[in-house]
Amino acid sequence: MDFSTGHGYLLIGGLILVGAGLLILSLIVNLRVAHSVRDDLRHREKLLEYYRNIFSQMGVILIGIGVSLFIFFFQQNYQDQRKRETEMQQVLAKLAARIARGAPVVGSLSEFDALLDEGGPYVSPDLGGTNAAIRAHGAELGKQVAEILLVERDVDVQVFEILNLSRDFESSFVVNEIDPTLWFNIVRDESDIKYATTQLALDYKDLLEAIAGEPIELAIANPDKERKIKQEVLDIFYDADLLRQRGRRFLGRACWLFSKGRGFVGLAPVDALEADARSHQEWIDRSKPVLTQSKSGSGDCFKLLHYGPAS
């Protein structure tokens, strides 16, 4: 029986009302008993007394059942509410920890921003991107490779494992109540982050194999090697862009949820955060108004993204 929707309380109310009705009916029958006594109708008096006792006993029983059920389910709902409050506090604490630990991790992505957005916002070559990250060749490509190898040492892709919010929600009531689209996007971003970090580690390895231990200037001077190195650089940029897009959206969304407090469970997705964008810059421009209005700690959620070249 579902008492959370009010149907159970309707039954309890019905039992108490029927019980009260039976008690009232027993009082009416008792008046008839009094008339029978006055008129000395012994047989009718006994019959009415029997009905009066039945009605009064049934009324008391039904009222007793109704009151007992009300007390039981009131206590049960109170305990469920307390459990929900406890789970909510735990979820918010875990969410705050994810944001605090994820902020410096996402902050390291600024190392990629200078490379990806040189000469304009990075757009995948498949979508027609033409900035410096795409068109570099020769000495410019050699400079990119040197910077990429520096970034490889500065950005530990393995630490992005901390950006995994779904495991905190899976063990609580949140997973059943959060908006399905929002939940799907959270899980999708986590999968894309895992994919990007895995691919980046392989891309770095492939780039080193393409260079084959030679000085970058000599490797670039060989047209065949330059072509292969260029392809590996493009692969690194593609996966790095995927990582920064999904990583920043993940952190921005988590901060936005946390800024809403206990009410985040009932939130609907915000297109400015959730809709896919043609470029990372486009997503940044679109989400900035929403994130700057969402507070986390002493600052707003947009500052946590650390978007822009590393200082």
Side-chain angles (χ1 to χ4, degrees):
M1 185 178 298
D2 189 3
F3 281 80
S4 63
T5 59
H7 296 134
Y9 290 111
L10 288 176
L11 174 62
I12 291 173
L15 288 174
I16 293 175
L17 287 176
V18 171
L22 289 173
L23 288 179
I24 293 173
L25 186 59
S26 71
L27 292 176
I28 295 173
V29 173
N30 191 57
L31 293 176
R32 296 294 183 90
V33 171
H35 289 302
S36 299
V37 171
R38 187 177 59 246
D39 297 337
D40 197 23
L41 299 175
R42 302 291 299 173
H43 176 72
R44 184 177 180 82
E45 176 188 344
K46 294 295 183 182
L47 183 61
L48 290 174
E49 284 180 347
Y50 173 77
Y51 288 140
R52 179 195 63 190
N53 293 337
I54 291 293
F55 290 151
S56 62
Q57 290 172 4
M58 288 298 297
V60 170
I61 291 173
L62 290 178
I63 290 175
I65 293 174
V67 172
S68 298
L69 286 175
F70 175 79
I71 293 173
F72 172 78
F73 287 107
F74 179 82
Q75 292 176 337
Q76 187 67 40
N77 284 349
Y78 176 77
Q79 292 174 358
D80 291 343
Q81 187 64 30
R82 291 289 297 174
K83 181 181 178 182
R84 179 187 174 91
E85 290 293 322
T86 301
E87 285 190 7
M88 175 60 76
Q89 291 176 0
Q90 293 174 346
V91 168
L92 287 174
K94 290 178 180 179
L95 183 56
R98 290 284 177 189
I99 295 170
R101 295 170 183 167
V105 172
V106 171
S108 67
L109 292 172
S110 59
E111 298 284 350
F112 285 118
D113 292 335
L115 286 170
L116 287 167
D117 296 329
E118 183 180 357
Y122 174 88
V123 178
S124 170
D126 297 337
L127 299 177
T130 58
N131 75 343
I134 305 298
R135 66 173 184 268
H137 286 282
E140 190 178 2
L141 177 60
K143 180 183 176 183
Q144 278 186 352
V145 172
E147 291 174 344
I148 286 172
L149 294 178
L150 288 175
V151 171
E152 179 189 6
R153 293 194 292 268
D154 293 339
V155 180
D156 184 1
V157 295
Q158 301 304 320
V159 299
F160 282 86
E161 173 66 20
I162 195 65
L163 301 182
N164 194 318
L165 188 60
S166 62
R167 67 180 61 169
D168 296 335
F169 287 174
E170 285 174 350
S171 58
S172 71
F173 71 91
V174 173
V175 71
N176 296 319
E177 297 187 14
I178 195 170
D179 183 273
T181 301
L182 202 55
W183 176 249
F184 173 81
N185 289 343
I186 290 172
V187 175
R188 184 185 67 166
D189 285 351
E190 291 174 353
S191 298
D192 286 344
I193 289 170
K194 184 175 180 59
Y195 169 82
T197 54
T198 301
Q199 288 301 120
L200 270 175
L202 297 175
D203 293 339
Y204 290 142
K205 181 180 178 182
D206 292 341
L207 176 61
L208 292 175
E209 289 178 355
I211 297 172
E214 292 184 346
I216 297 174
E217 296 79 5
L218 292 179
I220 295 298
N222 184 320
D224 290 336
K225 280 192 173 183
E226 181 190 22
R227 188 162 43 252
K228 188 171 183 179
I229 290 171
K230 178 64 178 178
Q231 184 58 54
E232 300 305 335
V233 168
L234 290 177
D235 289 346
I236 288 174
F237 282 166
Y238 178 86
D239 292 322
D241 183 61
L242 178 63
L243 178 60
R244 69 173 182 167
Q245 284 197 45
R246 297 298 184 260
R248 285 192 171 117
R249 182 165 69 179
F250 179 94
L251 184 64
R253 181 196 297 115
C255 184
W256 170 71
L257 290 172
F258 183 74
S259 71
K260 304 302 180 182
R262 298 172 183 271
F264 83 86
V265 176
L267 293 175
V270 176
D271 287 341
L273 298 179
E274 305 300 335
D276 291 330
R278 186 170 182 267
S279 70
H280 185 44
Q281 182 65 55
E282 180 182 323
W283 181 85
I284 287 289
D285 294 339
R286 194 175 59 202
S287 63
K288 186 175 182 179
V290 176
L291 295 179
T292 51
Q293 294 175 9
S294 303
K295 304 298 179 180
S296 176
S298 59
D300 62 63
C301 293
F302 185 76
K303 290 180 180 178
L304 290 179
L305 303 186
H306 297 285
Y307 177 68
S311 58

